[in-house]
Amino acid sequence: SAMDHQPKFFENLSGTGKAIGVLTSGGDAQGMNAAVRAVVRMGIYVKAKVYFVYEGYQGMVDGGDNIVEVSWESVSSILQVGGTVIGSARCKAFRTREGRLQAAYNLVQRGITNLCVIGGDGSLTGANLFREEWSGLLEELAQKGKIDEEAVKKYAYLNIVGMVGSIDNDFCGTDMTIGTDSALHRIIEVVDAIMTTAQSHQRTFVLEVMGRHCGYLALVSALACGADWVFIPEYPPEEGWEDSMCVKLSENRARKKRLNIIIVAEGAIDCHNKPITSEKVKDLVVQRLGFDTRVTILGHVQRGGTPSAFDRILASRMGVEAVLALLEATPATPACVVSLSGNQAVRLPLMECVQMTQEVQKAMDEGRFVEAVRLRGRSFENNLNTYKLLSHKKPDAELPKTNFNVAVLNVGAPAAGMNAAVRAAVRVGITEGHKMFAVIDGFEGFARGKVKEISWGDVGGWTGQGGSILGTKRTLPAKYLEKIADQMRTNNINALMVIGGFEAYLGLLELSAAREKYDEFCVPMVMVPATVSNNVPGSDFSIGADTALNTITDTCDRIKQSASGTKRRVFIIETMGGYCGYLANMGALAAGADAAYIFEEQFDIRELQANVEHLTEKMKTSIQRGLVLRNENCNENYTTDFIYQLYSEEGKGVFDCRKNVLGHMQQGGAPSPFDRNFGTKISAKAMQWISKKLKETYRKGKVFANTDDSVCLLGMRRRNLVFQPVAELKTETDFVHRIPKEQWWLKLRPLMKILAKYKTSYDVSDSGQLEHVAMHSPKEAETGAI
């Protein structure tokens, strides 16, 4: 219909006369505060009244000072704080009708008929019941003379929108719950630390992580650190697992692997539904193998600490979407949950998600484990399949032999997660029966003949290493074509996998152009995007960008902290990214910055003037500090120094300025959990594509591939991983500035501005369609989400 094509703008939706209550309930999770902040600021932005409900449902029942109207400044400085500043409590009273009656009374007194609930499935189920009973509760209050008939009519409907805050990621319908990524950060920090001590004394470590009913944290951390064995409730080990595990551990020792790591989810069970505890696993290893074994139980450490950049951005996006959903809710729309699918915010009916989540538990209780894994969703299934693929090497006798040789190389600047990608490529390649070759130092090393065979064991322990172990160079292949073709012939290379940034993309374009002249390049080639700048066309994300974003966010947190001591200080921080503003823009969103200057959105002196005035106004409030991010190439004349000097001059007497260039620390550091897993999964998938293409293009004893679709880039696009011929991506690329012509994250730019109190236009046409929880088919799991 014509209606659908009208763009919808946030600023046209009015919250005037509406009151929104926001509460956090159930177990706390990092990022809840970011969600609270977004709901409060978005609510106030659209002129609604916003109330904190302290201590979850308990505060709603108790009323009084527990339900308070809040201002813009109330949520300042909470973005970087873990847990929830408005408190959360388990509440018995709300489970009774009496308690809910009291809660309804407290809300009506303040005219609150919109609730935003941030919590786990229990909290959300409670909210839904409250909504269903609402009109009955009001009738009862009227009968008791507590409220008048007028109020019953005026506040007839209660709208509810949920956001899932839970470190377990145990909620069906969303790829990631708020807090999961941060919990993974805590686990990985511990594993990285344990690895160094375990290596000093050939030790076995049994690590117990949270997850009573859901193995997500255990599974993904096992994937991220290359653990030897993992126990999760959804996928209990087969009968006789004790033997297989011990065999695996002793094989590892024999292969000179000094360290064994076993990860146990606290809810792990065997196939008879009997618990498998970390102590039990330890005793087993000690009795059977006599290995020096230690147990580490992570416990509440996993809920603690500052939220990761991913969780802050996720929670901010969800918070905004939640306010939108409340503004658009009608008595006819079901209570919904805002969630993430791939890289897209979606709304799902709350009860459908809850029912599906309960289905998983039921399947597990009844021993239908294959079904349980499927119900968890495609991302969980994908994780499990990848872990199984990479952790256990089959004996050589069982491996197929394809007689194909596949080379892997890194191209461009180093990016955290490159090594995880190389490891996955090598191991999947070996499993598929190919001989794997590593190229040292990119195309330049290729030309010089730095090519060697690489084995399964050679890439052990690579997931947690930063930078590029193979070595990487920015050199493009064009000037070495002759020599590279020679090397391809000498080593009989039948396929190429290139892991790198924009240069890798240009390199593949050059190699495919050289196919006319050199038959050697008529082989399948695939690129996996890896660059901190996230500027590769054809993919929403590239390996390394998440780690860089966390580095920027951590640094900004520290800088903000220093500013809170000195008062009235503005920091100007320069980020990397070439001409791509991804790091500056998303860093600004995650760090709660006041402005971010990027190349993609031209700015002039008037804009700079407006920013200075904005900061001057801000200094009059209780928040006396400012943070401004600038992408390194956003403007050739308005340099970081120029902006610093302009701000210093204009802010004289109101605030002083400091500047900070972050530089190469953005390329270093241990890879974040996201980059390890994204790198691992995307690279494993690319390798499977190579195998498929090799079979398709093998004719009369040789591989010959010269069509466009045999040179692809594998990228994440909205909800799916897609292989795209590099030739087709040419039209989407701005080659002068080395960025894609269209970038998804520019749509989030107004979000940052609104949360920093700027008036701006925000196109929200994408949101608002209520979807249904899809049961995916097993086939889809292969193409599906990360």
Side-chain angles (χ1 to χ4, degrees):
S1 63
M3 276 292 290
D4 294 345
H5 303 300
Q6 286 299 312
K8 181 170 73 177
F9 291 100
F10 192 73
E11 58 276 19
N12 299 342
L13 294 167
S14 167
T16 313
K18 294 191 174 179
I20 300 172
V22 57
L23 69 145
T24 52
S25 172
D28 68 318
Q30 306 97 324
M32 279 183 166
N33 289 327
V36 167
R37 170 179 178 266
V39 170
V40 168
R41 293 197 166 172
M42 273 305 195
I44 291 172
Y45 189 87
V46 295
K47 302 194 168 51
K49 285 184 166 184
V50 185
Y51 291 81
F52 275 169
V53 179
Y54 285 102
E55 309 306 336
Y57 289 119
Q58 191 63 54
M60 203 191 291
V61 175
D62 295 345
D65 292 344
N66 290 303
I67 307 176
V68 188
E69 191 180 346
V70 288
S71 70
W72 190 271
E73 279 88 34
S74 308
V75 290
S76 152
S77 318
I78 68 171
L79 186 62
Q80 61 269 37
V81 181
T84 160
V85 294
I86 57 178
S88 172
R90 308 258 176 218
C91 175
K92 291 234 162 59
F94 195 74
R95 296 199 172 147
T96 64
R97 185 169 166 98
E98 237 358 83
R100 292 191 290 274
L101 193 67
Q102 190 54 46
Y105 174 72
N106 292 330
L107 293 183
V108 169
Q109 290 303 95
R110 296 164 179 80
I112 302 173
T113 55
N114 295 281
L115 280 186
C116 177
V117 182
I118 307 163
D121 58 345
S123 317
L124 298 180
T125 312
N128 191 61
L129 174 66
F130 190 41
R131 181 185 186 214
E132 285 171 357
E133 290 183 352
W134 183 258
S135 54
L137 292 170
L138 294 200
E139 289 294 338
E140 192 175 326
L141 287 169
Q143 275 160 16
K144 291 188 173 166
K146 286 204 161 180
I147 60 173
D148 55 26
E149 283 302 329
E150 187 54 36
V152 178
K153 284 201 195 76
K154 190 173 175 190
Y155 304 124
Y157 300 104
L158 177 68
N159 296 316
I160 285 191
V161 172
M163 275 184 269
V164 191
S166 153
I167 62 166
D168 294 343
N169 203 21
D170 55 358
F171 195 76
C172 293
T174 184
D175 285 352
M176 286 295 264
T177 58
I178 296 167
T180 306
D181 187 66
S182 302
L184 287 171
H185 271 262
R186 294 302 92 77
I187 296 171
I188 294 304
E189 283 156 18
V190 171
V191 173
D192 284 355
I194 279 179
M195 281 194 162
T196 51
T197 157
Q199 295 222 319
S200 318
H201 319 261
Q202 289 208 338
R203 269 195 185 140
T204 299
F205 271 86
V206 180
L207 218 71
E208 182 180 308
V209 301
M210 281 184 165
R212 271 187 318 234
H213 306 295
C214 177
Y216 185 88
L217 290 177
L219 177 57
V220 175
S221 50
L223 195 57
C225 69
D228 298 282
W229 204 273
V230 64
F231 293 97
I232 57 173
E234 293 86 347
Y235 188 76
E238 292 162 10
E239 287 280 11
W241 59 271
E242 295 88 345
D243 299 332
S244 356
M245 183 181 79
C246 291
V247 167
K248 167 112 202 274
L249 296 178
S250 44
E251 274 175 8
N252 280 347
R253 277 292 156 92
R255 279 207 223 107
K256 298 280 184 290
K257 183 175 176 185
R258 295 181 62 89
L259 135 102
N260 298 121
I261 287 196
I262 300 167
I263 294 182
V264 184
E266 60 180 334
I269 47 174
D270 65 17
C271 50
H272 305 296
N273 256 323
K274 297 269 180 300
I276 296 179
T277 62
S278 40
E279 278 302 324
K280 182 173 165 182
V281 175
K282 175 196 153 175
D283 294 342
L284 187 76
V285 176
V286 174
Q287 281 158 15
R288 298 252 186 127
L289 303 170
F291 289 176
D292 182 359
T293 308
R294 301 291 151 103
V295 173
T296 302
I297 296 175
L298 288 191
H300 280 74
V301 167
Q302 294 160 89
R303 289 188 190 275
T306 178
S308 64
F310 182 93
D311 272 333
R312 296 181 196 195
I313 292 164
L314 171 69
S316 301
R317 284 174 74 179
M318 301 288 108
V320 169
E321 186 68 28
V323 173
L324 267 176
L326 283 172
L327 292 180
E328 296 181 328
T330 67
T333 49
C336 76
V337 178
V338 290
S339 79
L340 183 76
S341 172
N343 184 25
Q344 218 180 337
V346 293
R347 296 180 198 171
L348 301 163
L350 187 145
M351 284 322 284
E352 278 186 28
C353 298
V354 169
Q355 274 149 8
M356 182 93 133
T357 305
Q358 288 164 354
E359 284 293 312
V360 182
Q361 191 53 48
K362 205 171 137 207
M364 280 162 27
D365 293 342
E366 294 170 9
R368 292 179 287 124
F369 296 109
V370 175
E371 181 74 355
V373 169
R374 203 169 68 90
L375 286 165
R376 274 272 179 244
R378 57 184 190 167
S379 136
F380 189 90
E381 198 165 5
N382 223 341
N383 282 320
L384 185 58
N385 292 337
T386 311
Y387 176 76
K388 290 197 286 198
L389 204 61
L390 298 175
S391 61
H392 302 294
K393 180 181 190 291
K394 287 185 179 150
D396 289 343
E398 286 177 31
L399 289 172
K401 278 278 176 288
T402 60
N403 296 323
F404 291 131
N405 295 345
V406 181
V408 182
L409 66 160
N410 290 158
V411 176
M418 276 182 163
N419 301 322
V422 172
R423 168 183 176 266
V426 168
R427 291 196 167 177
V428 173
I430 290 171
T431 306
E432 307 254 311
H434 314 316
K435 214 181 208 174
M436 297 301 298
F437 288 82
V439 177
I440 313 298
D441 296 339
F443 288 119
E444 197 174 307
F446 210 164
R448 298 209 177 117
K450 295 188 180 174
V451 183
K452 58 170 206 251
E453 193 182 340
I454 186 164
S455 74
W456 181 281
D458 292 340
V459 291
W462 279 29
T463 42
Q465 306 286 323
S468 161
I469 297 173
L470 292 184
T472 180
K473 285 258 192 296
R474 288 175 177 266
T475 326
L476 291 171
K479 54 180 175 183
Y480 298 117
L481 288 173
E482 186 78 47
K483 287 182 173 158
I484 294 176
D486 281 348
Q487 289 299 327
M488 298 270 294
R489 196 168 52 253
T490 312
N491 294 290
N492 190 20
I493 302 293
N494 309 113
L496 271 190
M497 172 147 165
V498 185
I499 300 163
F502 203 83
E503 290 84 3
Y505 166 65
L506 294 175
L508 281 193
L509 286 171
E510 290 179 1
L511 291 181
S512 59
R515 278 174 162 182
E516 290 169 38
K517 199 171 168 197
Y518 302 97
D519 270 2
E520 287 83 357
F521 299 136
C522 295
V523 296
M525 303 189 218
V526 68
M527 169 182 166
V528 168
T531 162
V532 297
S533 307
N534 198 21
N535 63 332
V536 177
S539 190
D540 287 0
F541 296 116
S542 60
I543 300 165
D546 183 71
T547 304
L549 209 48
N550 276 298
T551 305
I552 293 169
T553 310
D554 288 348
T555 311
C556 288
D557 285 352
R558 290 187 183 186
I559 286 171
K560 273 168 83 169
Q561 212 163 21
S562 82
S564 67
T566 40
K567 292 276 187 288
R568 304 226 297 237
R569 182 166 278 180
V570 174
F571 280 88
I572 292 141
I573 295 174
E574 180 186 304
T575 68
M576 280 182 154
Y579 284 95
C580 175
Y582 180 81
L583 289 178
N585 187 70
M586 300 308 260
L589 189 56
D594 295 283
Y597 298 116
I598 59 173
F599 168 76
E600 291 88 346
E601 194 176 284
Q602 293 295 299
F603 59 97
D604 57 18
I605 195 76
R606 285 184 295 274
E607 197 114 358
L608 290 168
Q609 178 65 32
N611 290 148
V612 171
E613 284 165 12
H614 191 85
L615 283 165
T616 308
E617 280 307 302
K618 185 177 173 183
M619 294 299 162
K620 292 176 187 167
T621 71
S622 56
I623 319 171
Q624 301 188 339
R625 50 149 213 279
L627 186 64
V628 175
L629 271 64
R630 177 188 173 275
N631 157 274
E632 55 185 353
N633 288 347
C634 63
N635 187 303
E636 56 180 332
N637 295 315
Y638 298 147
T639 59
T640 301
D641 283 334
F642 175 90
I643 292 177
Y644 163 69
Q645 286 164 342
L646 177 87
Y647 271 54
S648 296
E649 179 60 36
E650 295 292 317
K652 258 192 192 145
V654 184
F655 56 81
D656 63 350
C657 282
R658 294 288 183 275
K659 65 175 197 283
N660 207 324
V661 176
L662 296 185
H664 279 76
M665 63 188 276
Q666 293 163 89
Q667 281 178 8
S672 65
F674 181 90
D675 280 332
R676 296 180 191 200
N677 289 331
F678 183 57
T680 299
K681 284 195 257 189
I682 195 170
S683 167
K685 201 170 164 55
M687 203 63 209
Q688 289 165 332
W689 177 88
I690 283 183
S691 298
K692 194 178 97 205
K693 284 289 173 209
L694 283 170
K695 283 194 195 88
E696 286 171 15
T697 56
Y698 184 69
R699 294 279 175 281
K700 300 184 183 145
K702 66 177 289 229
V703 172
F704 186 79
N706 66 347
T707 51
D708 281 350
D709 67 357
S710 60
V711 188
C712 280
L713 178 148
L714 172 56
M716 164 103 176
R717 281 261 164 119
R718 288 184 87 146
R719 300 192 189 189
N720 293 304
L721 285 174
V722 271
F723 288 94
Q724 305 145 96
V726 289
E728 287 174 19
L729 290 172
K730 280 196 331 213
T731 53
E732 297 180 25
T733 311
D734 168 352
F735 285 99
V736 179
H737 299 104
R738 302 159 52 98
I739 52 175
K741 287 179 186 166
E742 291 201 356
Q743 304 186 80
W744 68 273
W745 54 266
L746 282 167
K747 281 199 166 151
L748 297 185
R749 186 142 169 90
L751 203 68
M752 187 211 95
K753 292 183 180 172
I754 290 171
L755 293 172
K757 215 173 186 174
Y758 282 92
K759 287 276 170 266
T760 181
S761 181
Y762 182 26
D763 183 346
V764 291
S765 315
D766 270 0
S767 58
Q769 263 42 59
L770 192 66
E771 303 190 4
H772 290 285
V773 183
M775 268 303 304
H776 69 287
S777 60
K779 182 81 200 101
E780 193 192 324
E782 296 160 30
T783 59
I786 285 306

